[in-house]
C-alpha cells in the first residue's frame, strides 16, 4: 500500500481492517501498532499519536 502523505481519511477503520488481516494470517499475537501502521501506510508515530496503544484502537 502506498504511504499517505499527511492525513489518512479513516485511520481507525483502516486499522481495524488491517487488524483483521493480521489476525487471519498470523494470529492475534502478531498484531502490533507498528504492523498496523505499516499496512495502512502511516508512521508508527502517527498511530501512537491517534490511539496511544492497541487498546485505543
Amino acid at each position: 500500500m502506498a504511504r499517505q502523505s499527511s492525513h489518512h481519511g479513516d485511520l481507525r477503520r483502516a486499522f481495524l481492517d488491517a487488524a483483521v488481516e493480521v489476525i487471519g494470517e498470523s494470529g492475534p499475537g502478531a498484531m502490533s501498532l507498528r504492523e498496523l501502521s505499516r499496512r495502512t501506510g502511516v508512521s508508527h508515530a502517527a498511530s501512537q499519536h491517534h490511539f496511544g496503544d492497541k487498546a485505543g484502537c
Side-chain angles (χ1 to χ4, degrees):
M1 182 176 277
R3 192 175 253 335
Q4 299 291 322
S5 58
S6 62
H7 180 75
H8 195 288
D10 188 352
L11 190 55
R12 183 177 187 278
R13 177 82 257 159
F15 264 40
L16 291 173
D17 292 343
V20 169
E21 288 178 9
V22 170
I23 292 168
E25 293 169 4
S26 306
M31 193 178 72
S32 69
L33 281 180
R34 284 185 185 266
E35 178 60 18
L36 298 180
S37 297
R38 187 186 67 75
R39 289 181 183 237
T40 56
V42 299
S43 72
H44 67 275
S47 64
Q48 285 196 311
H49 172 75
H50 286 285
F51 303 113
D53 59 18
K54 287 190 286 189
C57 292

